[in-house]
């Protein structure tokens, strides 16, 4: 995958702990301006803006101008791709654990 292809990838977007924290903060609020988001981190506005840009590129964040400030809000819809992926493996592990349990019960008999 090239850098260009990765820019809109929701998996790449959530790979960074700072971006996951931004998603959490935005999930808890209707919308937040950059200065309130920046106050939550040990980094400057430019760094937080870069993380928000990656989230925006993946469709996870939307922004709007209100006067002189930009406010950000979460768009959680792209996270359903991850939920679907995890659900597949959850079913895989549930099925295999059931088989293992049945084998262990058969050995006890």
């Amino acid at each position: 995958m090239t850098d260009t292809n990765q820019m809109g990838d929701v998996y790449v977007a959530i790979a960074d702990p700072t971006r996951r924290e931004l998603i959490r903060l935005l999930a808890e609020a209707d919308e937040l301006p950059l200065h309130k988001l920046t106050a939550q981190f040990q980094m400057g506005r430019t760094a937080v803006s870069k993380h928000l840009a990656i989230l925006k590129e993946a469709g996870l964040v939307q922004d709007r101008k209100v006067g002189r400030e930009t406010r950000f809000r979460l768009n959680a819809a792209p996270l359903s791709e991850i939920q679907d992926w995890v659900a597949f493996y959850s079913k895989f592990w549930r099925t295999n654990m059931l088989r293992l349990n049945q084998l262990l019960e058969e050995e006890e008999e």
Side-chain angles (χ1 to χ4, degrees):
M1 186 179 285
T2 65
D3 287 343
T4 304
N5 290 339
Q6 289 182 342
M7 286 305 291
D9 189 330
V10 70
Y11 294 97
V12 172
I14 67 160
D16 185 274
T18 300
R19 292 193 289 272
R20 290 194 300 272
E21 181 63 11
L22 283 166
I23 289 170
R24 187 191 64 77
L25 290 167
L26 292 170
E28 293 176 353
D30 186 35
E31 63 181 14
L32 291 169
L34 179 59
H35 70 89
K36 286 196 176 179
L37 289 167
T38 302
Q40 303 297 316
F41 299 96
Q42 298 287 325
M43 61 181 73
R45 291 172 55 114
T46 302
V48 173
S49 290
K50 287 180 181 176
H51 285 293
L52 286 166
I54 291 169
L55 292 172
K56 186 177 174 184
E57 185 71 29
L60 290 165
V61 169
Q62 297 172 332
D63 62 356
R64 70 182 182 106
K65 283 279 195 189
V66 178
R68 295 178 62 182
E69 72 180 14
T70 303
R71 294 183 185 173
F72 297 89
R73 72 173 38 223
L74 177 66
N75 176 30
L79 292 175
S80 65
E81 180 181 342
I82 293 170
Q83 183 179 16
D84 293 345
W85 186 81
V86 170
F88 172 81
Y89 287 100
S90 177
K91 181 180 175 185
F92 169 82
W93 283 112
R94 209 174 23 253
T95 300
N96 284 316
M97 293 305 287
L98 182 62
R99 286 183 189 157
L100 177 61
N101 191 37
Q102 288 171 341
L103 285 172
L104 291 173
E105 287 177 358
E106 288 172 10
E107 281 190 14
E108 286 180 8
E109 294 175 353

